[in-house]
Amino acid sequence: MYGLLLLLAVILVFIISMNTGTLRLSPRQLGLTLFGFGSQQDHLVLFTYRLPRIIVTLLAGAGLGVAGAVLQGVSRNALADPGILGLHAGAAFGLMIFVSFFRSLEGPVALLIPLFTFAGGILIAAVIFILAYDRHKGLIPMRLILVGIAIEAGFSAVTLFLALRLDPDTYAFAASWLAGSVWGRDWISVLSLLPWIVLLIPYVWTRSKLLDVFALGDETAVSIGNRVTPNRLILLCAAVALSCASVSMAGGIGFIGLLAPHIARRLGGPMHRHSLPLSALAGMFILTAADTVGRSVFAPNAVPAGVVVAVIGAPLFFYLLMKSKN
């Protein structure tokens, strides 16, 4: 029931987003253009500029939502989020390495961007996991957050240093990416992100029982025959891949991995076979709605979706942090 309502909400925000922008398309124009009967200008606006951007936000929102749910399940920490844990800083570092070498962000070379962001994310994830892991106590949830924040600060400084060495045009892209802007995405961006989402989300869903077992604690998981560390590493890599691939095309957007799983658990309960699809739908809705609000409410000066999400996500993070202390 709740899944159907979330799906309808995603479809609604998708339709609204297609009609939002500097050039507005009426519902009639939108329908005609979608079926190939619109004017050349309407076709250009919808298929060249608007649809690729919207599809990227949908795919990235789903990826970030599921990545957050997996990280919270693996770490048994309701505050875990790819951005808060520093994974986005690793993705940003990978992106800076990419643009430093290739200097081009258009055409087929853009297909390599998720690989570079994934490499940066894996690097940070490995460092965080090593520092937050205790041989006797396992993965310590609060240490995970603190180490992630510290590592994120260090890598952000390195990323800023690399960004300052870029030429003006590339730096403008980097600054826009860091703010969480999806402006200028094209069909190559969609193709770059699509395989990661289509392959990894179903894979993670097939491992949902493992995430349920992790919630019982490592000792219980081992007692029922679960290989805790290898399974945790596999799921962690899947979450890193989903997160880094998503932000590679949508920009440095935080808090969706925090918000979406909390919404999903409220609606569908703690079982991951229910909460993972709901997290994907919630992430799609949040990011697409944030991009639509940023383009419409603040027009003609569009506000990046990452800024809109942060306005909502930051207060919620502090609320959950205070609640976890009680």
Side-chain angles (χ1 to χ4, degrees):
M1 177 63 180
Y2 289 117
L4 179 60
L5 291 176
L6 262 181
L7 179 60
L8 291 175
V10 170
I11 294 172
L12 178 62
V13 77
F14 174 74
I15 294 171
I16 293 172
S17 188
M18 283 195 295
N19 193 35
T20 300
T22 305
L23 295 174
R24 298 186 64 84
L25 301 177
S26 67
R28 180 177 178 276
Q29 288 175 293
L30 192 61
L32 289 173
T33 306
L34 282 174
F35 290 100
F37 299 105
S39 67
Q40 185 175 357
Q41 176 179 287
D42 293 345
H43 188 277
L44 179 69
V45 168
L46 185 60
F47 286 96
T48 303
Y49 298 110
R50 208 163 284 176
L51 267 181
R53 174 178 184 155
I54 298 169
I55 293 174
V56 164
T57 60
L58 290 170
L59 293 174
L64 291 170
V66 172
V70 172
L71 288 173
Q72 290 176 17
V74 165
S75 65
R76 302 194 307 276
N77 189 336
L79 298 177
D81 166 78
I84 296 168
L85 292 182
L87 299 183
H88 292 177
F93 176 72
L95 182 76
M96 290 304 111
I97 297 296
F98 174 86
V99 297
S100 297
F101 278 102
F102 290 94
R103 301 282 176 176
S104 175
L105 301 162
E106 299 178 352
V109 72
L111 295 171
L112 297 175
I113 295 178
L115 295 177
F116 278 77
T117 56
F118 174 61
I122 281 291
L123 174 62
I124 275 203
V127 173
I128 293 173
F129 188 88
I130 291 170
L131 295 177
Y133 188 82
D134 184 271
R135 187 174 60 182
H136 302 292
K137 297 180 180 179
L139 197 64
I140 302 174
M142 189 50 67
R143 186 186 293 180
L144 190 74
I145 296 291
L146 296 176
V147 170
I149 292 172
I151 296 295
E152 190 272 341
F155 268 81
S156 293
V158 175
T159 299
L160 180 60
F161 172 76
L162 293 174
L164 293 174
R165 297 168 60 89
L166 300 173
D167 60 80
D169 290 338
T170 311
Y171 176 78
F173 166 82
S176 174
W177 185 93
L178 291 170
S181 173
V182 289
W183 181 84
R185 299 300 182 264
D186 55 19
W187 290 108
I188 291 292
S189 303
V190 175
L191 292 175
S192 300
L193 180 55
L194 186 63
W196 298 75
I197 304 301
V198 169
L199 294 175
L200 287 174
I201 288 182
Y203 169 76
V204 168
W205 186 78
T206 63
R207 314 288 284 183
S208 57
K209 289 185 178 179
L210 278 176
L211 291 169
D212 294 335
V213 171
F214 282 133
L216 303 175
D218 288 0
E219 292 184 1
T220 304
V222 170
S223 68
I224 60 177
N226 185 13
R227 300 168 63 231
V228 173
T229 300
N231 286 328
R232 177 174 276 138
L233 287 174
I234 291 171
L235 286 169
L236 181 64
C237 286
V240 172
L242 278 171
S243 170
C244 293
S246 298
V247 300
S248 71
M249 293 301 144
I253 296 173
F255 294 112
I256 289 180
L258 177 69
L259 294 170
H262 279 274
I263 294 172
R265 284 193 295 271
R266 285 292 185 93
L267 297 179
M271 301 297 288
H272 283 86
R273 69 175 182 270
H274 303 307
S275 64
L276 285 173
L278 290 174
S279 294
L281 288 172
M284 294 167 75
F285 175 80
I286 293 168
L287 185 52
T288 308
D291 181 55
T292 304
V293 169
R295 282 189 288 139
S296 58
V297 174
F298 302 99
N301 299 315
V303 173
V307 175
V308 178
V309 174
V311 169
I312 302 170
L316 178 63
F317 172 73
F318 285 117
Y319 166 75
L320 294 172
L321 183 62
M322 293 298 105
K323 187 178 178 181
S324 67
K325 291 182 178 181
N326 295 332

